[in-house]
Amino acid sequence: MTAPSHLIGLIGANVAGSLSPLLHEREAAVHGLRYAYRTLDVDALGLAPDDAGQLVRDAARLGYTGLNVTHPCKQSVIAGLDGLSDDARELGAVNTVVIDTHDRGPRRGGSGAAGRLTGRNTDHTGFRAALLEGLPGAALGTVLLVGAGGAGSAVARALLDAGAGTLLVADAEPARAEQLAARLAGRRAVNPSVNPAENPAADDGAGRVAAVVLDEVPTRLAEADGVVNATPIGMVGHPGTPFDASALTPRHWVADVVYRPLETQLVKAALAAGCRVLDGGWMAVAQAADSFELFTGRRADRARMRAHFLELAARAGTELS
């Protein structure tokens, strides 16, 4: 019997160096699948982020069977989709598009795409899994989140699902932080990882979410247990740190969603300050495993994918934490 064939794409900007293609292809090879993963860089194609909706439909017509979506297209891609999963709708962000050629449901605009395009979000499940595995026992009484875009929305939900008592959200665009805080206010934890006795703010299962000014992040660290960077700052082409990291102390934990490089300037500063650190590779692998399972229906081996990821990162010259 011929093995199933998959053509997967990654839509985003500056994605030529992404490790996702090789990470997916190596896991697929173990499963005996024919699986090709290609990058669709909006910059290289001369497109704007707002063109992502049309690009995803064009990709489906060209035979792609699934798509991942990254910065800065996780929200703009929604315009081209036929439907959203509940989590993607709640978060207003998509990082995985499942193309179902057997679904005869209504299509957006009768575009003639080869299948029904449904937006999913594996960033939130990926970050929660990364947090629980990479930072076991991390205190979640008060957490600062920097970045309220597509990745930030997913991380915010993951933190609340994990049992964060108070989540303080900051963004370079204050309105975006306020909108995210309003959208997730009162969300209850799902199998929380913290003990209510250690986190009174979450003893009713609902976390408190509030927007704060970005310039206040260093000051607000005094009341926080941990901080997450969910902005592109620190990645290749976006040097720097998202806030003044000199306010970090050994009692803080620090997570970064950026994985190119793994040892971002924020991660370096956190390690120098004696903090526990979760590099962006943990989330990259966890969300990739979730996406792979949606594309193929096969169970991904996360430990194997993590090992492959670290091998690929080292080979690519990425700094490891």
Side-chain angles (χ1 to χ4, degrees), residues 151-231:
S153 297
V155 169
R157 173 172 167 174
L159 288 166
L160 293 172
D161 283 354
T166 297
L167 181 62
L168 304 177
V169 184
D171 193 273
E173 298 179 29
R176 212 158 55 158
E178 293 166 0
Q179 291 164 5
L180 178 58
R183 194 160 66 239
L184 294 179
R187 180 174 180 82
R188 294 183 175 275
V190 178
N191 298 321
S193 60
V194 294
N195 186 331
E198 300 171 353
N199 183 11
D203 60 7
D204 65 350
R208 185 178 74 86
V209 189
V212 298
V213 178
L214 183 60
D215 289 344
E216 295 179 355
V217 169
T219 303
R220 302 302 290 264
L221 276 169
E223 63 191 272
D225 297 297
V227 59
V228 183
N229 172 39
T231 78

Side-chain angles (χ1 to χ4, degrees), residues 3 8 72 125 128 138 164 180 220 224 234 285 305 309 313-314 316:
I8 309 299
T125 55
R128 182 165 188 255
L180 178 58
R220 302 302 290 264
V285 170
M305 289 186 74
F309 177 87

Side-chain angles (χ1 to χ4, degrees), residues 24 67-69 74 85 87-88 91 93-98 119-129 154 158 283-295 302:
H24 276 250
L67 296 152
N68 283 134
V69 185
K74 293 182 180 183
S85 62
D87 51 2
L91 296 171
V94 164
N95 80 315
T96 301
V97 178
V98 176
R120 307 286 296 263
N121 193 300
T122 66
D123 279 338
H124 77 89
T125 55
F127 184 81
R128 182 165 188 255
M283 177 180 173
V285 170
Q287 66 82 17
D290 286 347
S291 292
F292 179 87
E293 292 174 0
L294 288 172
F295 295 148
R302 288 151 199 269

Side-chain angles (χ1 to χ4, degrees), residues 89-161:
R89 183 177 298 105
E90 176 188 4
L91 296 171
V94 164
N95 80 315
T96 301
V97 178
V98 176
I99 301 174
D100 186 352
T101 57
H102 302 293
D103 191 321
R104 301 300 179 183
R107 308 284 175 81
R108 184 180 292 272
S111 65
R116 180 172 172 79
L117 278 60
T118 301
R120 307 286 296 263
N121 193 300
T122 66
D123 279 338
H124 77 89
T125 55
F127 184 81
R128 182 165 188 255
L131 179 69
L132 298 181
E133 185 177 357
L135 282 179
L140 297 175
T142 299
V143 181
L144 269 165
L145 171 63
V146 183
S153 297
V155 169
R157 173 172 167 174
L159 288 166
L160 293 172
D161 283 354

